[in-house]
Amino acid sequence: MTRTKRQADPLLCAVAAAQGRVDQPDALFVALDEAVKSAIGHKLFTILTYDGDSGEAARIYSNLPGPYPTGGRKRLAPGPWTEAVLDRGEAYIGRTQADLRMVFSDHELIASLGCESVLNMPVRWRGRTLGSLNLLHEADWYGEDDVAACLPFAQLTLPALLAPAHF
């Protein structure tokens, strides 16, 4: 009997290999940025952590630190987005500028960067959303197939979110 050998996904391998580097979490975040850009695409890429006790989100990575610097915090208002992404752990896809306007208070800044669609991919552990990968691009960029493609990248973020210090 012969065995069919499968090739490992080189993008996932690059992210997994970055986890072993000393310069954490930067090495992991940069590898995620590059891999997700290649696999799915984005103009703006951020990683947020969520504190369920305070109801705040903190930005721990941004590929555009000018308009979206790391360390930025915001209070999250209850609503359909927080219920879906944070409570149920479902990905959110906003396909148009109108979708972003309904969900994000900074929709004008997002639009000024040429972004009109979003994929917010939760990072989950033990039934809780600890953070999210946030990909933004031109209108109608993201679809349901991107959710499946993004899931392994999101979950490879988990060690950095569980580490005592995110910065």
Side-chain angles (χ1 to χ4, degrees), residues 34-151:
E34 293 170 0
V36 170
K37 185 170 191 169
S38 180
I40 302 167
H42 63 73
K43 290 183 179 184
L44 172 61
F45 176 71
T46 66
I47 301 173
L48 298 178
T49 60
Y50 299 108
D51 182 338
D53 295 332
S54 71
E56 286 188 330
R59 190 176 313 106
I60 59 173
Y61 178 82
S62 173
N63 72 324
L64 297 177
Y68 283 96
T70 59
R73 301 183 75 81
K74 62 181 173 181
R75 185 134 179 81
L76 299 171
W81 184 92
T82 54
E83 290 170 10
V85 177
L86 301 184
D87 298 341
R88 295 191 305 270
E90 299 169 358
Y92 172 77
I93 297 173
R95 291 177 168 81
T96 66
Q97 195 171 5
D99 292 340
L100 274 61
R101 193 176 311 115
M102 289 184 351
V103 176
F104 303 116
S105 60
D106 57 345
H107 61 87
E108 290 177 357
L109 177 56
I110 292 170
S112 75
L113 300 172
C115 299
E116 296 183 22
S117 65
V118 66
L119 169 58
N120 299 120
M121 188 70 205
V123 179
R124 305 273 291 173
W125 177 248
R126 292 185 169 176
R128 290 182 43 233
T129 300
L130 301 183
S132 67
L133 302 187
N134 309 291
L135 294 71
L136 294 98
H137 214 307
E138 62 194 47
D140 295 312
W141 188 268
Y142 301 109
E144 293 302 322
D145 55 335
D146 296 313
V147 173
C150 196
L151 177 62

Side-chain angles (χ1 to χ4, degrees), residues 2-8:
T2 59
R3 182 177 138 212
T4 303
K5 294 188 179 187
R6 295 185 177 98
Q7 295 292 324

